[in-house]
Amino acid sequence: MTIYDELVARGLIAQVTDEDEIKELVNNGKAVFYIGFDPTADSLHVGHFMALCLMKRLQMAGNKPIALIGGGTGYIGDPSGRSDMRSMMTPEQIQHNCDCFKEQMSRFIEFGEDKALMVNNADWLLGLNYIEMLRDVGACFSVNNMLRAECYKQRMEKGLSFLEFNYMIMQSYDFYHLFKHYNCNMQFGGDDQWSNMLGGTELIRRKLGKDAYAMTITLLMNSEGKKMGKTANGAVWLDPKKTSPYDFYQYWRNVGDNDVLKCIRMLTFLPLEQIDEMDSWEGSQLNTAKEILAYELTKLVHGEEEALKAQAAAKAIFAGGGNHENMPTTTLGDDDFTDGKIGLLGLMVKGGLSSSNGEARRLVQQGGVSVNDQKVTDASFSIEKSQFSDDVIVKKGKKVFHKFVIG
């Protein structure tokens, strides 16, 4: 099976341009491709997982990835999939986020000479002369066509700023620049990026001629990937300081029955033959599949040691054992207590079990919270400082456990 056929078999390809030429490049290790990442936070999240895994697969097949960090486009903000305008970040915030991305990407991609590259579009976008840009590039874009793009249509009623309107041109210019200076002949992106990506292909052809190699492939990263990064309490991050390896493991352990095999196929590096054998699994076998998924992805992001710890902790907890060694833990200080006690709502927010007191209150009142195996429905419930001489375990729902200790 060729690498392109494998991408199709894993359900990664949504639509392409010039499929025969794309196959020729990818299958023969001739693709120099880029995927863009906007530095809107200081960590990647699992919504980026599909892109990272794709880069790893293609690099293993001899192709060259370019990780494009949107340090320049980050000044504008991508309107795709948004009902409002992104908040403006400072240059210092953008640079910090870019640095964090590179560290995390290094777990997936091998950077170095003749290997993968990381580039920042701030290096060429921030120095552009506005009038020259309008004359040189703006003339290649039809406003009518841009307004028909889905990423803009969904914003027209609520309002689309002229700043955001420029995003398509900036992203298209990225592909043009990478093609000219890095021999980049292919771009990948989510299905919400299709219009922007076609803009890049068209710009290359209009500026450099019809024979210019410029391919596009879109992946199901919006409908099947970006939604993976969100939970009821926010994002699931790749940074262990923001989402612990145990919580990361539990996120994948708790995916729905209808999604587990799809996730295994798209995101793990298990052989397709092994995954095909799982297609007939049902009932308790799906729980086994979820454990396989959680272990494989935790190992990929956090390493085998952390994956084994998370796996052991999960099995010990759900077996009713008293081994809390690898359970997610929050250490409390004297400042967290008032009059020698701490409220349950504040404790839940402190441990990341809820994003706010209001959310914690609803969970408690709905009977979804236990403290040391005792269900609590009183939102005013407090825990004395002396009780923390032993582990205090808060359970949210059926599967989320968190330990609190005093430092």
Side-chain angles (χ1 to χ4, degrees):
M1 178 181 290
T2 66
I3 181 61
Y4 185 84
D5 289 339
E6 181 179 350
L7 297 181
V8 172
R10 289 184 180 274
L12 293 171
I13 303 298
Q15 54 185 332
V16 303
T17 62
D18 303 309
E19 185 175 48
D20 289 341
E21 294 183 26
I22 290 172
K23 287 181 179 180
E24 166 68 19
L25 292 173
V26 168
N27 291 338
N28 292 288
K30 298 177 181 179
V32 180
F33 67 96
Y34 94 88
I35 299 180
F37 299 83
D38 274 345
T40 53
D42 60 0
S43 174
L44 298 165
H45 57 69
V46 298
H48 296 111
F49 222 103
M50 195 174 295
L52 295 170
C53 291
L54 176 81
M55 296 175 89
K56 183 178 178 70
R57 292 184 204 281
L58 288 173
Q59 186 178 47
M60 291 169 62
N63 298 286
K64 184 176 182 178
I66 299 176
L68 174 64
I69 305 299
T73 43
Y75 280 79
I76 297 175
D78 184 1
S80 302
R82 295 187 63 85
S83 60
D84 57 358
M85 186 173 173
R86 295 183 187 274
S87 59
M88 302 291 285
M89 295 187 296
T90 67
E92 292 76 18
Q93 287 175 315
I94 292 173
Q95 185 58 52
H96 172 70
N97 294 348
C98 291
D99 294 340
C100 293
F101 278 20
K102 183 170 186 179
E103 181 179 352
Q104 293 171 9
M105 286 181 181
S106 296
R107 278 197 169 272
F108 293 81
I109 308 160
E110 186 178 359
F111 292 101
E113 187 175 354
D114 295 326
K115 299 186 186 300
L117 296 177
M118 173 171 283
V119 295
N120 187 334
N121 63 15
D123 293 340
W124 56 85
L125 292 181
L126 297 188
L128 290 173
N129 178 286
Y130 184 62
I131 298 299
E132 290 180 1
M133 179 72 173
L134 288 178
R135 287 176 58 85
D136 187 44
V137 177
C140 298
F141 288 82
S142 162
V143 171
N144 291 346
N145 289 339
M146 292 173 70
L147 290 176
R148 283 194 288 267
E150 192 62 33
C151 60
Y152 290 145
K153 280 168 54 179
Q154 61 192 359
R155 287 289 303 280
M156 292 305 293
E157 290 185 8
K158 291 193 174 183
L160 175 72
S161 72
F162 182 71
L163 176 70
E164 294 171 293
F165 190 62
N166 284 268
Y167 192 90
M168 180 185 292
I169 296 177
M170 295 295 100
Q171 181 171 330
S172 299
Y173 189 84
D174 284 342
F175 193 19
Y176 174 65
H177 181 91
L178 292 173
F179 180 89
K180 287 207 310 179
H181 296 279
Y182 294 91
N183 298 315
C184 180
N185 53 27
M186 193 174 296
Q187 58 180 331
F188 288 76
D191 57 358
D192 61 332
Q193 297 291 312
W194 184 242
S195 297
N196 295 346
M197 295 168 67
L198 290 179
T201 301
E202 181 62 21
L203 177 60
I204 290 174
R205 288 177 175 167
R206 291 191 63 172
K207 296 293 292 181
L208 303 177
K210 293 182 180 180
D211 294 333
Y213 258 170
M215 313 299 166
T216 59
I217 293 182
T218 66
L219 311 181
L220 290 173
M221 289 193 294
N222 183 45
S223 57
E224 299 294 346
K226 288 187 176 180
K227 73 178 182 180
M228 294 178 184
K230 300 294 182 181
T231 69
N233 294 325
V236 177
W237 305 100
L238 305 194
D239 184 345
K241 298 184 182 69
K242 298 169 76 74
T243 298
S244 71
Y246 175 84
D247 286 333
F248 186 86
Y249 178 96
Q250 284 300 111
Y251 172 79
W252 295 107
R253 174 62 180 81
N254 294 331
V255 299
D257 289 353
N258 293 331
D259 293 329
V260 58
L261 292 179
K262 183 190 303 181
C263 289
I264 289 177
R265 192 174 297 277
M266 287 180 169
L267 303 179
T268 76
F269 287 79
L270 295 175
L272 282 170
E273 295 80 4
Q274 180 180 347
I275 299 171
D276 289 341
E277 294 175 359
M278 301 180 189
D279 282 338
S280 61
W281 286 12
E282 56 186 20
S284 61
Q285 288 178 306
L286 291 178
N287 288 328
T288 301
K290 293 176 186 180
E291 291 174 356
I292 292 172
L293 172 68
Y295 174 78
E296 290 295 328
L297 297 189
T298 305
K299 181 175 69 172
L300 185 61
V301 174
H302 298 295
E304 186 173 18
E305 182 179 354
E306 291 296 334
L308 289 170
K309 286 181 182 178
Q311 184 183 64
K315 289 182 177 180
I317 291 168
F318 291 113
N323 181 6
H324 304 150
E325 179 182 356
N326 295 317
M327 185 183 294
T329 301
T330 294
T331 301
L332 304 176
D334 292 337
D335 293 344
D336 293 310
F337 294 88
T338 302
D339 297 329
K341 58 187 178 182
I342 183 172
L344 177 57
L345 304 186
L347 190 69
M348 293 175 64
V349 173
K350 178 80 175 177
L353 295 170
S354 297
S355 59
S356 66
N357 281 350
E359 180 184 317
R361 180 178 291 104
R362 287 190 295 273
L363 287 168
V364 170
Q365 292 174 339
Q366 292 168 3
V369 177
S370 298
V371 177
N372 290 342
D373 291 328
Q374 298 296 315
K375 181 176 290 187
V376 177
T377 57
D378 181 3
S380 64
F381 182 83
S382 295
I383 305 171
E384 299 288 338
K385 186 176 182 180
S386 60
Q387 292 180 249
F388 289 88
S389 57
D390 295 320
D391 293 345
V392 171
I393 309 297
V394 177
K395 178 182 177 184
K396 184 181 75 171
K398 296 181 179 179
K399 300 178 180 179
V400 178
F401 295 81
H402 201 94
K403 178 173 67 175
F404 294 88
V405 299
I406 294 180

